[in-house]
Amino acid sequence: MKNLAEAVMAAKRRFAEAGLADAAFEARYLVGGLLGLSNTEVFTGGDRLLTLAETAKIADAIERRLRHEPVHRIIGARDFHGLTLKLSKETLEPRPDTETLVEALLPHAQQIAAQKGAVRLLDMGTGTGAIALALVKALPQLTAIGSDISRDALDTAGANAHLNGVADRFSTRESRWFDKIEGCFDIIVSNPPYIRSDVIPELQPDVRDFDPLVALDGGPDGLDAYRDIADGARAFLEPGGWIGLEIGYDQKETVAAIFEQQGFALIDAVRDYGGNDRVLLLRDVAQGMSQDQSQAKA
């Protein structure tokens, strides 16, 4: 019967032989995640004997990782902006860079809350619910709708709302962009599919083979979703409201131009942790000016 330390070393050896980057970290994280242990508990609990069921579970997980299935998908959950989010087959695994979008929008959401007492947010293509739930968790005055074309994703987002204690301020809607959305929102946010169709086969197998295609493929030029959002956003945005978008590293100018053609102005562009353009914040030019003038008079 193996102990915990032996299981971690075996995983590390297999990962290193396969050429996986940071084999030691992945081994600790995978084994700890499967057993519900923190990194500290993995370090300090090396003598813990594993049951036959635990040993078999770890062995199966190692084989899955060697087939390039991401560690977090094997575990079934990922941490994001202080939340624990369950993953499912039809949800994109939330990446740390997407936290940049949450951080960029939070000050504006706080300002709206201070002015109006409440904030309504629409998260389109919500997936796990990561963006909406992080903002709901951070701001008690904020309520959110997460929309998606995938029922599996909506079920997962709803489960994550319950898991993180914010189900009373988060609801879901099955919709392709604005098709089945009603009402107006202070913030419209999206991390839409933005990878060019012809690039999909060239992606790393961890992404290409395990993230849902519908959450990756942005059409021939990667911009289809942005056009759809820009075309419909005005009818659903409150005066003075904000649009927050995640973009590909080379899409800042093209996405901004799409929205400018619909009367929106790029207010801010934010880079991710790697220094790449990642987030655009936009406002309706006419609505924004009208709202600012009203606040100035008040």
Side-chain angles (χ1 to χ4, degrees):
M1 183 177 292
K2 284 186 177 181
N3 63 26
L4 178 60
E6 290 169 338
V8 171
M9 287 300 298
K12 175 185 174 182
R13 182 175 62 255
R14 296 286 305 281
F15 293 164
E17 290 171 351
L20 296 182
D22 207 353
F25 172 80
E26 287 212 5
R28 290 194 305 271
Y29 197 94
L30 179 61
V31 173
L34 290 171
L35 300 180
L37 302 175
S38 68
N39 279 335
T40 300
E41 290 170 327
V42 173
F43 272 117
T44 60
D47 292 336
R48 170 186 164 176
L49 294 178
L50 302 180
T51 67
L52 291 176
E54 289 173 335
T55 300
K57 186 177 183 179
I58 292 169
D60 176 68
I62 290 172
E63 296 304 320
R64 290 169 65 182
R65 182 66 189 112
L66 292 174
R67 294 193 294 270
H68 298 285
E69 186 171 353
V71 169
H72 293 98
R73 286 204 179 275
I74 297 170
I75 295 171
R78 175 155 193 164
D79 291 340
F80 178 87
H81 206 269
L83 307 175
T84 297
L85 300 174
K86 293 182 179 179
L87 306 177
S88 60
K89 183 178 180 180
E90 295 181 24
T91 58
L92 188 72
E93 182 182 336
R95 270 68 169 184
D97 284 337
T98 302
E99 295 186 5
T100 308
L101 180 53
V102 174
E103 291 297 327
L105 280 170
L106 186 55
H108 301 294
Q110 291 169 330
Q111 185 178 33
I112 294 169
Q115 293 167 351
K116 299 175 61 174
V119 185
R120 296 193 71 219
L121 178 141
L122 172 65
D123 177 15
M124 293 193 296
T126 194
T128 61
I131 298 167
L133 295 178
L135 287 163
V136 168
K137 189 76 172 182
L139 190 60
Q141 301 97 320
L142 190 146
T143 59
I145 292 175
S147 71
D148 209 292
I149 60 173
S150 166
R151 174 46 55 185
D152 172 81
L154 295 176
D155 290 344
T156 302
N160 284 329
H162 282 280
L163 178 64
N164 290 281
V166 293
D168 59 328
R169 292 187 286 122
F170 177 80
S171 59
T172 61
R173 186 72 50 82
E174 189 171 351
S175 179
R176 183 188 182 279
W177 306 123
F178 294 106
D179 287 353
K180 297 181 181 179
I181 301 299
E182 299 175 351
C184 287
F185 301 86
D186 300 294
I187 298 172
I188 296 173
V189 63
S190 185
N191 175 17
Y194 54 70
I195 299 174
R196 294 198 331 260
S197 301
D198 64 337
V199 174
I200 301 293
E202 302 171 10
L203 296 175
Q204 292 294 321
D206 303 49
V207 175
R208 181 193 65 219
D209 297 338
F210 294 96
D211 276 334
L213 180 63
V214 69
L216 299 173
D217 192 342
D221 62 0
L223 302 172
D224 284 357
Y226 298 110
R227 294 189 185 96
D228 288 336
I229 296 170
D231 286 346
R234 178 172 287 105
F236 299 90
L237 192 64
E238 291 280 3
W242 290 87
I243 296 176
L245 303 168
E246 180 165 334
I247 60 169
Y249 72 95
D250 59 350
Q251 294 177 322
K252 175 182 173 182
E253 284 75 20
T254 51
V255 173
I258 289 170
F259 279 82
E260 287 166 359
Q261 290 172 2
Q262 298 294 333
F264 295 93
L266 177 61
I267 305 301
D268 196 11
V270 184
R271 295 185 175 183
D272 61 25
Y273 304 126
N276 297 309
D277 289 321
R278 185 62 58 191
V279 169
L280 301 185
L281 300 183
L282 307 108
R283 298 177 82 183
D284 185 305
V285 176
Q287 287 187 350
M289 290 177 61
S290 174
Q291 181 78 357
D292 292 341
Q293 289 168 357
S294 298
Q295 293 171 1
K297 291 179 181 178

